[in-house]
Amino acid sequence: MSVENNSLSSTIEKIAGNEHYLIDETGHSLILHKIGPGMKKIYLEFTANCNLKCITCMRQQWPAIPEGEMDLELFNNLLEQLRSFPALEMVHLGGFGEPLAHSRALEMIRALCTKGYRVSMNTNGTLVDSDAALSIIESGVHAVYFSIDGLDQKSFGQIRVNGDYGAVIGNMLRLRELKQKLNVNYPKIGLEFVMMKSNIDQLPLLPKLAKEVGAPTVLITNLLAYSEEMYNEVLYDKPQKDRELGAGVLAPPNWTDTLNGYRFPEPAIWPAVDNDYIFWGSLRLPRIYWGSSRRCGFVQDDAAVIRWDGAVSPCYALMYDYPYYLDNRRKEVSAYLPGNIRDDSLYNIWNSPGYIRFRYRVRSYNFPSCMDCSTAKICDYAEQNEDCWGNSPSCSDCLWSQGIIRCP
């Protein structure tokens, strides 16, 4: 909220009332950042451990994978702290580990559901055996998204190393059968598919699989390439010519022709039968072209990410240090962690001045658009998560904000 810098004291008093604000002065105006329990969603990483070695995962590029899991003392402390956020309704279990790889995962999921939160989760599906499926259903989990980037054992095994395609499909079908047996509609089953050159031919098979397992939601996302090898797999950024100012296109040459060869059945909808209900499933491709519209789903949804070690981050993109490849260049990302719930309360971290100001910049998207800049390939700022406007961290070329990379 901005107000003219006239009669400031009386104006602030009138606006603020009993509310608390962080006040910034910018030229001839003031910005009042409201302090309070505004968080509505958290992304919770139970563990950084995983039983697979997927070639698409950042874990394969960490020099020393920080394996570990959230201890119960920290988890119970977090549950207590969440009471400070009355508007908090949604908890999504994800991050860069497999949630069910946590030694006490099912117990922790039940605790979150018992508190009344709408819990959803990502899983590679390998650990959703009969006992886990029954516990997930009885706990009241709202949705389970199965990550499945290949639709036969050969392609699945090449991407999700150590994974068994047949076992994962069996686990999805068993979850559906248990729901039908218990006459319940939750959890909803969803599919998540990372689209790249080596598996794009399998896109048309997704509606058929979704129908078989009763999944009304199919989330297709692009690949975030953590290595040069994986950069050769991306479908959104293979420029062949020197970029000119304002070009702003992230699609490879002949992309349209490539996509036309792998069209979905028309129309790409299917019935997802759920006991007495039929949900009509549908899917859509992620954004392929870099455009002027930028929106951070994490910040706009008043969300925060909490790592297994208690560190708090605003989003998936900034929760760890890692490299990735974009626009034929390597980018080194440094984690942005405003605090840790081991050392301070989540309420204080959420309302810390630096974190509040960061969210304000993201809401207004006050960052340059590095992908549209003719100097991007020679700019030192573009090699880090910084920019020439003085922002650090910077979200100037964030693929999540473009809808090129998508999460549940």
Side-chain angles (χ1 to χ4, degrees):
M1 178 185 305
S2 297
V3 297
E4 291 300 319
N5 200 358
N6 300 323
S7 305
L8 296 181
S9 297
S10 59
T11 302
I12 293 172
E13 206 174 295
K14 181 179 179 181
I15 293 174
N18 295 324
E19 302 284 354
H20 298 286
Y21 290 86
L22 172 67
I23 302 173
D24 283 336
E25 185 175 355
T26 60
H28 298 288
S29 65
L30 293 181
I31 301 173
L32 275 64
H33 308 280
K34 188 175 181 180
I35 297 174
M39 188 187 300
K40 297 178 181 177
K41 181 177 182 179
I42 63 169
Y43 291 82
L44 179 57
E45 183 184 60
F46 275 176
T47 177
N49 300 333
C50 189
N51 60 322
L52 299 186
K53 295 186 180 295
C54 304
I55 63 172
T56 57
C57 182
M58 178 177 76
R59 293 164 45 84
Q60 310 315 320
Q61 301 303 318
W62 282 339
I65 297 177
E67 292 189 348
E69 63 178 34
M70 181 174 285
D71 59 72
L72 282 184
E73 181 180 359
L74 181 61
F75 175 73
N76 289 328
N77 181 24
L78 172 62
L79 282 183
E80 185 64 26
Q81 292 191 38
L82 294 184
R83 296 174 59 188
S84 299
F85 299 91
L88 178 65
E89 297 179 349
M90 302 171 64
V91 177
H92 183 80
L93 307 178
F96 290 95
E98 163 58 41
L100 294 177
H102 193 290
S103 59
R104 309 288 286 273
L106 298 176
E107 177 183 344
M108 295 161 73
I109 290 171
R110 186 179 296 273
L112 286 165
C113 293
T114 299
K115 293 292 184 181
Y117 298 116
R118 193 173 80 174
V119 176
S120 58
M121 62 184 292
N122 274 95
T123 178
N124 59 39
T126 60
L127 302 178
V128 188
D129 57 20
S130 298
D131 291 339
L134 183 59
S135 179
I136 287 169
I137 293 172
E138 292 179 340
S139 295
V141 171
H142 182 78
V144 178
Y145 293 87
F146 289 83
S147 297
I148 182 163
D149 304 329
L151 278 76
D152 57 54
Q153 179 56 45
K154 180 180 178 181
S155 58
F156 184 89
Q158 289 174 343
I159 298 170
R160 298 194 161 268
V161 180
N162 297 338
D164 184 328
Y165 175 75
V168 172
I169 299 301
N171 288 345
M172 281 192 273
L173 291 171
R174 184 184 300 110
L175 178 60
R176 185 187 188 190
E177 291 168 0
L178 277 172
K179 286 172 55 182
Q180 293 171 337
K181 180 179 179 180
L182 297 172
N183 195 31
V184 296
N185 297 320
Y186 294 98
K188 299 301 180 190
I189 297 174
L191 304 180
E192 185 172 2
F193 186 89
V194 178
M195 181 175 69
M196 50 188 151
K197 288 175 64 176
S198 60
N199 69 0
I200 190 175
D201 62 316
Q202 305 217 331
L203 283 177
L205 303 177
L206 281 169
K208 181 176 183 294
L209 175 62
K211 179 180 178 181
E212 289 176 355
V213 301
T217 301
V218 175
L219 177 68
I220 303 176
T221 181
N222 278 293
L223 170 70
L224 187 65
Y226 299 111
S227 67
E228 286 189 88
E229 180 183 5
M230 294 312 299
Y231 183 64
N232 293 325
E233 289 278 352
V234 301
L235 291 166
Y236 52 85
D237 184 17
K238 298 287 288 185
Q240 301 295 314
K241 297 180 180 180
D242 291 338
R243 187 183 305 283
E244 296 179 358
L245 184 64
V249 176
L250 274 178
N254 304 317
W255 160 251
T256 303
D257 294 338
T258 299
L259 185 61
N260 284 342
Y262 301 110
R263 286 194 177 279
F264 296 111
E266 297 290 350
I269 60 174
W270 59 90
V273 180
D274 210 341
N275 293 317
D276 295 333
Y277 297 89
I278 296 179
F279 296 90
W280 284 100
S282 63
L283 52 76
R284 64 183 178 90
L285 291 167
R287 193 173 183 178
I288 296 298
Y289 301 97
W290 185 272
S292 59
S293 175
R294 295 184 287 176
R295 179 188 183 275
C296 174
F298 295 95
V299 169
Q300 293 291 349
D301 292 346
D302 296 307
V305 177
I306 302 175
R307 294 191 334 191
W308 67 272
D309 58 358
V312 179
S313 179
C315 61
Y316 278 162
L318 296 174
M319 65 186 294
Y320 284 106
D321 298 336
Y322 61 91
Y324 76 95
Y325 288 79
L326 177 69
D327 197 21
N328 285 315
R329 57 183 167 84
R330 178 184 170 102
K331 184 179 181 72
E332 296 285 347
V333 174
S334 299
Y336 175 56
L337 307 173
N340 192 301
I341 60 172
R342 290 187 186 275
D343 308 317
D344 200 355
S345 72
L346 183 58
Y347 184 92
N348 287 344
I349 295 169
W350 177 258
N351 289 293
S352 60
Y355 195 5
I356 286 177
R357 291 182 175 114
F358 174 79
R359 295 198 302 271
Y360 174 78
R361 288 197 303 273
V362 175
R363 284 185 184 280
S364 57
Y365 230 90
N366 192 21
F367 303 100
S369 183
C370 289
M371 294 303 298
D372 292 329
C373 180
S374 59
T375 66
K377 293 181 180 178
I378 60 173
C379 177
D380 292 340
Y381 291 113
E383 297 176 359
Q384 313 291 332
N385 48 325
E386 302 175 347
D387 64 47
C388 59
W389 291 4
N391 295 305
S392 181
S394 174
C395 304
S396 56
D397 54 13
C398 175
L399 296 177
W400 275 270
S401 72
Q402 286 285 322
I404 291 171
I405 306 293
R406 302 161 66 200
C407 298

